[in-house]
Amino acid sequence: MKKVLQVARREFVSTALTKGFIVGALVLPAVFALIMPVIAMLFEQAKAPADVGRVAIIDRSGMLDELLAERLTPEALVEARRGSLSEFQQNAESGGGEGEAPPDLGQVAQIADTLMGETPKFTVDILSVETDLEDAQNRLREEPENEDDRTLALVEVDPDAVVRPEGQAEFGSYSLFTRPKVDPRTTNTIERTVERAIKDVRYEMAGMDREELRRLTSIAQRDVQEVTETGTRESNQVLQFVLPGAVLVLLFMGVMTGGQYLLTTTVEEKSSRVVEVLLSAVSPMELMFGKILGQMFVGMCLLLVYTGVGIFAMLWFALADLIDWTDLIYMFIFFLIAYTIIASLMAAIGAAVNEMREAQSLMAPVMMALVFAFYLSFPAMMSPSAPWAVAMSFIPPFSPFTMLIRIASTEPPPVWQIWLSIAIGSAFAYGCVWFAAKVFRVGLLMFGKPPNFKTLIKWVRMA
């Protein structure tokens, strides 16, 4: 056992204390943590410049030209934006729970300015009803000397956009034409203004009050509340979906990292004949178990680092009550099972080949099974209690991933299913270690043509 621990220590130090691993495991998360606030700050300060130009209008209905000319002025657009922000504020205040502070209108305005950009500065040209559409579109192709005189957009309102002809079920609409590369936010501003104007005139023609209609047709959306032992709290349904995905990624990352490092170091030591020196001090089994144990600590380091970062973030945002701490224990148990399965197979492959290029054909089935288990877990997030998900949580090597997703979901499985999955996974992991030990013992000193699966079975029988 002492020699196994010495090999494990050597394996861990040669991998985890390298600059590449430290940068990947520790520095990159720290850099991302520092960059994200900077990106958020730049995003808040970033504003697209205001588009300046002309908007041409062909009002075939004959009832909207003056209203559109009035509402597309810079002053009217600013006022409309303020009205939208005030409406959002009213909805937020009516939708909040008791004791919750309404969002600050200044912050809302700042976010809206960032997303919507500066208010465009339009000059409106009202064209005759008889204007040919093709002639009007030519205005969008012209390039005047003064860029501010360019026609940015052309609006054509249908004759029946406001008043339906007798016997016609639906109203007409409008068409919007723009020159290439107009800011989408500018286009959206024009669309919102034209649509609001058409609706207002329709309401007026029908003798309806717009504000009363808004009150009748709008319902303040209140946040879903979860009832807990200590009271009620706002439900974070998005986070409840993200948590199982985060657990899955952590498990996959830890297993893949340790398994890949184990394969690489085994192949390198065999091809450089370093393994012959090692075998003079330890037995093949001690070497294999020591390498598996050492790389297991490497994968566990990654798991601990990123899990710690996630827990710190949830504590910081007061979301720690969303974590069931027993789930973390299960995560490490299933990590040990999944890692042992993959690492033992990787060790066997590394001992059987002479260089990394030869390992590709033998790795393919292992990688396909691992990737399939990873992607199979995503539909299990949506249906954790489906019969196929329950069945896959007992079939290795898929069971560690599928069962962990089910545990972290909103419909956790019964405890007996969890421990049955652990028992089956542990038995399968033991079988993989037994198989790998046979191959490792024979293949470690074999050189020449790389073996196929038939040869590997022969080695197992020989050992």
Side-chain angles (χ1 to χ4, degrees):
M1 187 62 185
K2 182 178 179 181
K3 292 183 178 180
V4 171
L5 294 177
Q6 289 176 341
V7 174
R9 178 180 177 279
R10 169 187 172 276
E11 195 77 13
F12 177 81
V13 170
S14 63
T15 301
L17 298 186
T18 59
K19 292 181 180 179
F21 183 85
I22 293 174
V23 169
L26 303 177
V27 177
L28 286 181
V31 170
F32 282 129
L34 294 174
I35 287 178
M36 290 306 296
V38 175
I39 293 177
M41 181 184 65
L42 294 176
F43 178 78
E44 291 179 0
Q45 296 178 353
K47 290 184 181 180
D51 275 332
V52 180
R54 314 184 80 85
V55 177
I57 297 175
I58 306 176
D59 179 20
R60 308 288 187 189
S61 70
M63 306 180 67
L64 291 167
D65 48 4
E66 294 183 1
L67 182 60
L68 288 175
E70 176 185 338
R71 292 193 174 182
L72 285 171
T73 59
E75 297 77 15
L77 292 175
V78 170
E79 190 63 30
R81 179 178 293 186
R82 289 176 180 169
S84 299
L85 294 175
S86 298
E87 184 176 336
F88 177 85
Q89 174 80 353
Q90 292 171 4
N91 291 336
E93 290 175 347
S94 62
E98 293 185 5
E100 294 182 7
D104 181 59
L105 186 59
Q107 294 180 355
V108 174
Q110 183 179 4
I111 296 173
D113 284 340
T114 301
L115 296 176
M116 300 171 65
E118 296 287 347
T119 304
K121 295 178 174 59
F122 297 138
T123 301
V124 180
D125 294 332
I126 304 297
L127 305 184
S128 171
V129 178
E130 289 80 19
T131 302
D132 181 70
L133 182 60
E134 183 64 30
D135 293 338
Q137 289 177 347
N138 287 332
R139 298 166 66 100
L140 299 173
R141 302 184 181 97
E142 297 173 354
E143 294 291 344
E145 293 183 3
N146 187 354
E147 282 194 1
D148 293 351
D149 291 332
R150 295 183 307 164
T151 299
L152 299 175
L154 167 67
V155 179
E156 182 189 30
V157 181
D158 295 346
D160 54 352
V162 176
V163 179
R164 286 178 297 185
E166 187 174 348
Q168 181 174 309
E170 301 293 336
F171 286 96
S173 184
Y174 71 96
S175 300
L176 177 61
F177 308 91
T178 66
R179 68 170 51 242
K181 299 181 180 180
V182 172
D183 193 314
R185 288 172 286 192
T186 299
T187 304
N188 292 337
T189 298
I190 298 174
E191 288 177 332
R192 288 195 306 271
T193 303
V194 173
E195 290 173 7
R196 192 179 183 92
I198 292 175
K199 290 178 182 178
D200 284 348
V201 177
R202 287 180 184 175
Y203 297 151
E204 184 179 348
M205 297 291 293
M208 300 178 181
D209 179 62
R210 179 186 180 87
E211 286 304 312
E212 184 63 22
L213 282 173
R214 183 190 65 80
R215 285 189 286 269
L216 289 172
T217 57
S218 63
I219 299 176
Q221 182 66 45
R222 294 181 177 175
D223 295 326
V224 177
Q225 300 290 313
E226 293 182 351
V227 180
T228 65
E229 295 180 357
T230 58
T232 61
R233 67 180 182 194
E234 182 180 340
S235 175
N236 196 325
Q237 296 176 330
V238 175
L239 191 58
Q240 289 177 357
F241 180 77
V242 170
L243 278 176
V247 170
L248 174 64
V249 171
L250 285 173
L251 178 62
F252 184 81
M253 181 179 63
V255 171
M256 278 295 298
T257 301
Q260 286 284 10
Y261 276 127
L262 180 60
L263 174 67
T264 303
T265 57
T266 304
V267 173
E268 289 178 352
E269 289 173 357
K270 180 179 178 181
S271 59
S272 63
R273 301 299 178 99
V274 173
V275 69
E276 297 177 8
V277 178
L278 295 174
L279 290 178
S280 65
V282 296
S283 68
M285 292 302 95
E286 291 173 334
L287 179 61
M288 189 190 80
F289 286 118
K291 292 175 74 66
I292 291 177
L293 190 62
Q295 293 299 337
M296 182 189 71
F297 291 138
V298 172
M300 195 168 288
C301 278
L302 283 177
L303 202 61
L304 288 172
V305 168
Y306 286 96
T307 302
V309 170
I311 292 174
F312 175 78
M314 297 190 75
L315 290 172
W316 180 267
F317 291 106
L319 297 173
D321 53 344
L322 294 177
I323 303 176
D324 188 342
W325 297 99
T326 58
D327 292 354
L328 297 178
I329 298 174
Y330 286 133
M331 182 177 70
F332 282 97
I333 293 175
F334 282 109
F335 164 77
L336 294 177
I337 295 173
Y339 169 79
T340 303
I341 294 171
I342 300 301
S344 58
L345 296 177
M346 290 294 190
I349 294 171
V353 300
N354 302 311
E355 53 186 53
M356 285 299 297
R357 178 176 54 83
E358 298 174 352
Q360 301 304 317
S361 60
L362 296 177
M363 282 179 58
V366 178
M367 296 303 299
M368 287 178 61
L370 189 60
V371 172
F372 181 69
F374 178 76
Y375 284 109
L376 186 69
S377 301
F378 286 100
M381 293 182 196
M382 308 299 295
S383 304
S385 298
W388 66 266
V390 175
M392 294 304 294
S393 60
F394 299 117
I395 302 176
F398 316 114
S399 55
F401 299 91
T402 309
M403 180 56 80
L404 194 59
I405 284 295
R406 293 183 62 206
I407 292 173
S409 70
T410 55
E411 301 177 31
V415 176
W416 70 266
Q417 290 189 10
I418 298 175
W419 286 102
L420 178 60
S421 178
I422 291 174
I424 294 174
S426 300
F428 185 81
Y430 177 82
C432 290
V433 171
W434 176 85
F435 175 85
K438 300 290 186 179
V439 175
F440 197 88
R441 179 179 298 172
V442 176
L444 203 57
L445 296 177
M446 287 283 190
F447 293 91
K449 182 181 177 181
N452 52 28
F453 285 102
K454 185 177 180 180
T455 305
L456 293 180
I457 299 300
K458 288 182 179 180
W459 288 0
V460 172
R461 291 176 178 175
M462 289 170 53

